[in-house]
Amino acid sequence: MMRQLTGILILIIFLASTQVWAGNTGKISGRVTDKETGEPLIGVNVLVKETNLGSATDEDGFYFILQVPPGTYDLEFSYIGYHTLTVTGVRVRVDLTQTINVEMESQAVQGPQIEVVAEQLLVQKDITATRRTASREEIEDTPGFQSTTDIFLLQGGAFVDAAGAQTIALGEGNQLQVRDESLKDIHIRGGRGGEILYMVDGVPVTHPIYGGRDVLNLNVVDVQEMELLTGAFNAEYGQAQSGVVNITTRSGSERYEGGLEYKTGAADYITDNYGFNYTSFYIGGPEPITRKLVPQTGLELPGRMTFFISGNATLSNTPYNNNRDRDQISALGLDFNSKQDNVGNLNAKVNWEISNKLSMNLSYHGSSNKWSRFDWLWQNYPNHLAEYTRNNNNLNFNVKHTLSKSTFYHLNFGYLGVDYDASLNDQSPPEYWTFYKDGNVYDYWTYERNFSDAPDSVYSRIKAPVTDRYGLIDRQSYESIWRDDVTATWSFKGDITSQIHHEHLMKTGLELRYNDIQYVDIQDGGYSLSKYGDHVFNNEVEFPKPVGPYPEFGENRWVFDAFPVQGGAYIQDKFEKEALIINAGIRFDWLLLGKTIMGENWRDQWEKATGETSDWSEFKYKVSPRFGISFPITQRTVLFFSYGHFNQLPEMQYFYRDPYTGGFTGNPHLDFEQTILYEFGFTHQLAQNWAIDIKSYAKDISKQVQTTQLRAALGLPVYLYDNKGYARARGLEFELTKRYSNFISGKMNYTVQWANGYSSSAFDDYVRSLNDFPNPIRERPLDWDIRHQIIFQMSVAAPENRGPNIFGLQLPDNWNISVLSRFSSGQ
């Protein structure tokens, strides 16, 4: 079945011979006419200066240029018998069309070469869904913008949950870790955390286990442009319900450049910066080995290569410093004292332009995080808190081949590895236990080597009560979590783009991701035996041996190796006329669960644990239509409407958590979660430098993951994941924009939003059961239901050679002051 399905998809893709650009370039188009007669000019050469991009006008005077990287360019128009015309300051954005219509003047009319400045309207007519774009210059001028996650600080209706809600209380001071605590929950327009697709240079980089969460979190020094899509985005973007973050990284140029930056908050003059220290560097330019060393061997490589390398490190405590003893970090022969949160990134990219039609690049993004959290339960025992590390390695190889001026394709091959560990001073569960046999004391390994029968007694050294200086009793004086997750994802993404008509830009593509997930989660192995361990060490009721290391330890433990395969295919068309733009497409997503949950032993154990029938399908799929339409009423006024279905797989842990120890058990019956979105928008340029933007949106969310309590044949309470959750979100966004003039620019955004639903987490039903609370029978406000939100940005800047004059006082030039403020009502 899978072989036939894959063959059909590939056939559709290559027969369609269509697509939009590869998700990180834009388009320039327009029409060239004679200034006096208004007749179209045929064969006018159009060149994007300082690039190898260009085109020529057709019989109707139309032209288009695809694959233009984001940035600002100069366009040159040349034609025999006409004055050469240059249009400067043409701004190109990812996935959007910049329209430049020109009138050329005959050389019979005396005059020099003509140069005009492109009109920078505040209205983009081909936007059919909400998006926010941040160029490199805007990123550098925005205060507090340090990593890619910070783009959410600029978006109305977005809420970053600093706490993350990654742990839940089990009672009696015990806590259960739900997922990696460094992965923040980001809510967009009333959606849950983990509903975002992160793309770097056209390749998905979301977490293999925990879904729509960012594992790379690139630093801004490595970013050329970012865009955040929060409306009904196109069919090329899958596995996202709330938004898409599309990141274009920097590349080297034909000249060498570099920079070094250091920031510190140690002084704390204005506010407490928690010992913040940050440093970064970058260097880029022509690649020296192939340009200078290789030619000396007599080998001449075609084309040219450039490189770009950047790195950064951030060390900081938090508003709640746990005051744990810190390790030292060694780098470049230097030793530094670590802090509560320590993050480092290293990025490298090599571009090879083999010819005007063929290019490729190889990029690497690596990061390392090490941290320890704050918890009130452990405030008097900070050195008994566990430490966490996460190392990420992302490698991408991209090939771009231009078949003609109207058709090109991209091939992307990627690898993403995530290694996550958690422990107390690297101690494994057996190291907390002591075994007594015949009056002698043994550690776990010695006992295992010498005895096959049960010990006389088993003792965990952290079970002994400890009285602190306030007279309180701490039952468990060590946090004994043991995590060892290793994931590897190999991905392929191919797409082909064709401007089949000057009004139709089509795109189709295919994605494939193979995941190797090794998940080890033993949360309480230092003070609790597993049911199997009770049988082995305490002669209790016989219980099946769980999979994974240290099977005797941990009442809350989950171990699995899973090999899910994900894929998708799509086709979409962008239809563009002067007064009508339509984006329409359809997407097909699928999941192959893999052999882990199809084995007879796993199925039998699952049925014993849950009492349900293991009749799930190994193959799951969904179809998602998308549609957006824009009406440019005038050059300064645009209306748009968009609608779409957005399907996303639940977190992989919800499928595969093993059924051997009770508690939370994976459910291979789970279906895709779904969001249906409607959006209306109105944009109007009020004056030359002022614009207003109004948007209304509604989201219906269904099949959210929840938990249902069962008690089956094994007699243990089991919490089984299911798709019974639902939610709704409604909102209005108002944004007033002032473009730079008279030394001032800025934005003011106001959002009013309602977010209601069945629950705020997949684990809410579990928490209710612990406290004997009834399940809700109607919608209620969600945890991130923030009614009012205001975002204010303002920049006062003096350009070079032109300082402002205030009350007769001439101020210096070449400076700027920027402010970013956010105000919101409570959660």
Side-chain angles (χ1 to χ4, degrees):
M1 177 181 177
M2 280 302 302
R3 184 178 301 173
Q4 293 174 345
L5 178 63
T6 303
I8 292 171
L9 293 177
I10 294 174
L11 181 62
I12 291 172
I13 288 166
F14 287 98
L15 287 180
S17 187
T18 56
Q19 168 195 329
V20 185
W21 46 93
N24 59 342
T25 60
K27 169 185 167 185
I28 301 173
S29 69
R31 195 176 190 219
V32 183
T33 57
D34 184 287
K35 186 173 182 179
E36 291 188 4
T37 66
E39 293 295 318
L41 297 179
I42 305 172
V44 176
N45 289 317
V46 186
L47 175 67
V48 182
K49 299 182 73 172
E50 298 186 3
T51 74
N52 57 9
L53 300 173
S55 182
T57 56
D58 62 16
E59 62 272 13
D60 296 315
F62 291 103
Y63 72 94
F64 58 86
I65 305 172
L66 306 179
Q67 306 182 78
V68 185
T72 302
Y73 301 93
D74 295 341
L75 281 185
E76 184 179 87
F77 296 82
S78 60
Y79 194 49
I80 297 175
Y82 286 77
H83 290 291
T84 298
L85 184 148
T86 301
V87 180
T88 63
V90 178
R91 174 74 186 277
V92 177
R93 294 179 173 88
V94 171
D95 282 359
L96 297 178
T97 300
Q98 179 62 273
T99 302
I100 303 294
N101 298 321
V102 300
E103 297 176 332
M104 297 190 70
E105 197 169 45
S106 171
Q107 287 181 344
V109 179
Q110 297 297 318
Q113 178 172 314
I114 302 170
E115 183 174 299
V116 298
V117 179
E119 183 179 8
Q120 301 294 334
L121 293 173
L122 291 171
V123 175
Q124 182 76 35
K125 70 176 185 179
D126 61 329
I127 288 181
T128 58
T130 299
R131 67 174 63 211
R132 177 175 289 278
T133 302
S135 67
R136 172 153 190 81
E137 293 76 17
E138 292 167 338
I139 290 172
E140 290 177 341
D141 290 340
T142 302
F145 212 128
Q146 307 236 47
S147 65
T148 50
T149 303
D150 293 328
I151 193 172
F152 298 104
L153 299 176
L154 310 179
Q155 178 61 40
F159 168 60
V160 180
D161 190 345
Q166 312 299 334
T167 60
I168 55 178
L170 297 178
E172 297 184 354
N174 300 333
Q175 289 186 326
L176 182 69
Q177 187 189 53
V178 174
R179 62 180 68 86
D180 179 348
E181 295 184 344
S182 68
L183 302 172
K184 293 182 173 62
D185 272 344
I186 299 173
H187 308 276
I188 297 178
R189 289 183 165 182
R192 278 186 178 180
E195 295 184 351
I196 304 169
L197 171 66
Y198 292 87
M199 304 275 290
V200 175
D201 292 332
V203 180
V205 291
T206 47
H207 199 287
I209 300 177
Y210 304 120
R213 292 173 170 87
D214 185 13
V215 293
L216 294 181
N217 198 17
L218 298 177
N219 192 270
V220 295
V221 73
D222 194 49
V223 174
Q224 178 64 32
E225 182 169 286
M226 293 180 60
E227 66 170 355
L228 173 60
L229 313 177
T230 58
F233 38 85
N234 287 336
E236 63 180 305
Y237 301 112
Q239 294 301 324
Q241 292 175 265
S242 290
V244 176
V245 177
N246 201 358
I247 303 167
T248 303
T249 59
R250 295 174 69 179
S251 298
S253 64
E254 283 303 302
R255 63 186 182 91
Y256 289 104
E257 60 178 345
L260 183 66
E261 183 179 19
Y262 175 74
K263 300 178 184 179
T264 181
D268 292 335
Y269 288 133
I270 299 176
T271 185
D272 191 347
N273 290 290
Y274 317 116
F276 168 81
N277 285 282
Y278 165 85
T279 185
S280 69
F281 77 92
Y282 72 91
I283 184 171
E287 199 281 308
I289 297 177
T290 57
R291 301 215 183 187
K292 295 183 179 181
L293 297 181
V294 172
Q296 294 179 7
T297 66
L299 178 63
E300 291 287 344
L301 295 178
R304 58 184 183 179
M305 285 192 186
T306 59
F307 78 97
F308 185 85
I309 300 174
S310 68
N312 64 85
T314 303
L315 282 69
S316 177
N317 293 317
T318 72
Y320 296 96
N321 188 347
N322 60 23
N323 295 305
R324 196 186 196 281
D325 289 345
R326 313 291 185 206
D327 299 328
Q328 283 205 323
I329 299 176
S330 297
L332 302 176
L334 302 175
D335 292 329
F336 304 91
N337 290 325
S338 65
K339 295 184 182 293
Q340 193 168 342
D341 286 324
N342 310 276
V343 181
N345 288 278
L346 180 64
N347 308 284
K349 189 176 185 181
V350 177
N351 292 74
W352 186 11
E353 294 187 14
I354 302 173
S355 67
N356 290 342
K357 293 187 176 181
L358 180 63
S359 65
M360 56 185 66
N361 68 67
L362 180 66
S363 62
Y364 169 80
H365 305 288
S367 64
S368 179
N369 300 33
K370 184 173 183 178
W371 73 97
S372 60
R373 63 190 181 93
F374 176 87
D375 193 320
W376 288 108
L377 293 173
W378 302 91
Q379 62 175 322
N380 298 318
Y381 303 96
N383 290 332
H384 294 179
L385 280 166
E387 288 188 300
Y388 304 84
T389 61
R390 176 164 54 85
N391 297 307
N392 315 299
N393 292 283
N394 174 234
L395 193 66
N396 291 316
F397 177 66
N398 174 279
V399 178
K400 180 176 67 176
H401 186 201
T402 301
L403 302 177
S404 68
K405 75 167 188 176
S406 61
T407 304
F408 66 92
Y409 67 85
H410 276 170
L411 302 176
N412 291 279
F413 303 88
Y415 166 79
L416 175 63
V418 182
D419 185 355
Y420 174 63
D421 298 287
S423 66
L424 175 65
N425 303 324
D426 294 325
Q427 294 182 89
S428 60
E431 294 180 73
Y432 295 92
W433 293 82
T434 301
F435 298 81
Y436 294 86
K437 186 71 173 177
D438 300 327
N440 297 314
V441 181
Y442 302 94
D443 61 29
Y444 169 77
W445 293 277
T446 304
Y447 173 79
E448 283 284 285
R449 284 195 303 267
N450 293 283
F451 303 100
S452 59
D453 55 340
D456 297 332
S457 61
V458 186
Y459 173 72
S460 172
R461 58 187 170 86
I462 67 174
K463 285 184 177 179
V466 177
T467 304
D468 68 16
R469 56 193 172 123
Y470 297 107
L472 301 176
I473 301 298
D474 176 34
R475 288 184 59 255
Q476 301 154 6
S477 55
Y478 295 91
E479 193 176 31
S480 62
I481 186 173
W482 175 262
R483 294 293 305 270
D484 185 14
D485 302 344
V486 180
T487 67
T489 300
W490 289 267
S491 63
F492 167 77
K493 185 174 183 289
D495 45 52
I496 182 168
T497 302
S498 183
Q499 185 84 44
I500 61 174
H501 182 271
H502 71 266
E503 293 177 348
H504 289 273
L505 179 64
M506 297 195 69
K507 179 177 187 175
T508 189
L510 175 71
E511 299 176 25
L512 188 66
R513 300 178 70 186
Y514 174 79
N515 302 280
D516 182 349
I517 302 174
Q518 300 177 46
Y519 186 93
V520 178
D521 181 354
I522 306 175
Q523 299 221 2
D524 51 8
Y527 54 86
S528 293
L529 297 173
S530 66
K531 295 298 180 183
Y532 171 77
D534 284 334
H535 161 66
V536 171
F537 295 139
N538 296 325
N539 290 314
E540 293 191 4
V541 178
E542 185 174 354
F543 203 87
K545 182 179 180 180
V547 296
Y550 316 122
E552 302 92 346
F553 304 101
E555 184 176 357
N556 293 289
R557 59 172 289 135
W558 300 273
V559 179
F560 60 80
D561 291 346
F563 308 93
V565 182
Q566 301 167 242
Y570 64 91
I571 185 169
Q572 63 188 43
D573 177 32
K574 185 175 185 180
F575 172 75
E576 296 179 274
K577 291 187 73 71
E578 187 67 26
L580 179 66
I581 292 92
I582 298 175
N583 278 304
I586 190 167
R587 181 176 183 88
F588 177 78
D589 288 291
W590 55 269
L591 168 68
L592 189 66
L593 284 169
K595 62 182 181 181
T596 299
I597 48 84
M598 302 304 293
E600 184 177 348
N601 290 338
W602 205 97
R603 284 175 175 264
D604 289 345
Q605 184 64 30
W606 190 88
E607 290 186 345
K608 291 177 181 178
T610 65
E612 302 291 319
T613 303
S614 58
D615 57 352
W616 52 73
S617 171
E618 187 180 6
F619 182 74
K620 303 175 185 293
Y621 67 91
K622 283 292 180 181
V623 176
S624 309
R626 315 277 174 87
F627 178 80
I629 185 168
S630 173
F631 301 98
I633 299 172
T634 68
Q635 277 195 323
R636 296 173 178 265
T637 305
V638 172
L639 286 171
F640 77 79
F641 165 76
S642 60
Y643 164 84
H645 288 230
F646 304 91
N647 296 287
Q648 183 179 4
L649 287 167
E651 298 178 31
M652 286 295 148
Q653 62 167 328
Y654 298 154
F655 288 102
Y656 297 106
R657 283 200 173 200
D658 70 79
Y660 289 91
T661 53
F664 298 106
T665 299
N667 186 2
H669 286 108
L670 286 176
D671 198 0
F672 287 72
E673 297 176 301
Q674 183 180 71
T675 294
I676 300 176
L677 170 66
Y678 308 82
E679 183 182 27
F680 294 88
F682 168 79
T683 304
H684 177 63
Q685 187 164 334
L686 301 170
Q688 181 177 358
N689 298 308
W690 291 85
I692 188 171
D693 198 1
I694 303 173
K695 297 184 179 72
S696 170
Y697 59 86
K699 298 170 68 173
D700 292 319
I701 308 166
S702 60
K703 297 187 177 181
Q704 289 184 318
V705 173
Q706 294 299 135
T707 51
T708 295
Q709 186 180 26
L710 304 171
R711 190 179 293 271
L714 294 176
L716 297 175
V718 171
Y719 294 88
L720 188 67
Y721 300 107
D722 55 35
N723 288 108
K724 71 180 183 183
Y726 57 88
R728 292 192 300 166
R730 307 288 186 269
L732 289 168
E733 294 179 6
F734 304 87
E735 185 167 88
L736 181 65
T737 301
K738 183 188 184 304
R739 183 164 50 193
Y740 180 79
S741 65
N742 300 321
F743 308 105
I744 298 175
S745 62
K747 287 184 179 181
M748 173 77 80
N749 180 288
Y750 167 66
T751 302
V752 56
Q753 178 178 268
W754 294 262
N756 301 297
Y758 177 81
S759 65
S760 299
S761 160
F763 301 92
D764 275 9
D765 282 349
Y766 170 72
V767 175
R768 293 184 188 112
S769 69
L770 292 180
N771 297 280
D772 293 324
F773 292 158
N775 290 336
I777 58 174
R778 61 177 63 90
E779 295 178 8
R780 60 182 63 194
L782 300 172
D783 286 354
W784 49 90
D785 177 51
I786 298 177
R787 187 72 65 246
H788 305 283
Q789 187 181 70
I790 297 174
I791 302 174
F792 175 71
Q793 291 177 261
M794 187 180 73
S795 179
V796 181
E800 193 172 358
N801 300 322
R802 182 173 161 233
N805 189 302
I806 301 179
F807 303 116
L809 176 63
Q810 185 66 41
L811 298 182
D813 62 351
N814 200 19
W815 56 267
N816 73 79
I817 300 173
S818 299
V819 176
L820 171 62
S821 295
R822 290 170 59 92
F823 308 89
S824 63
S825 54
Q827 294 174 248

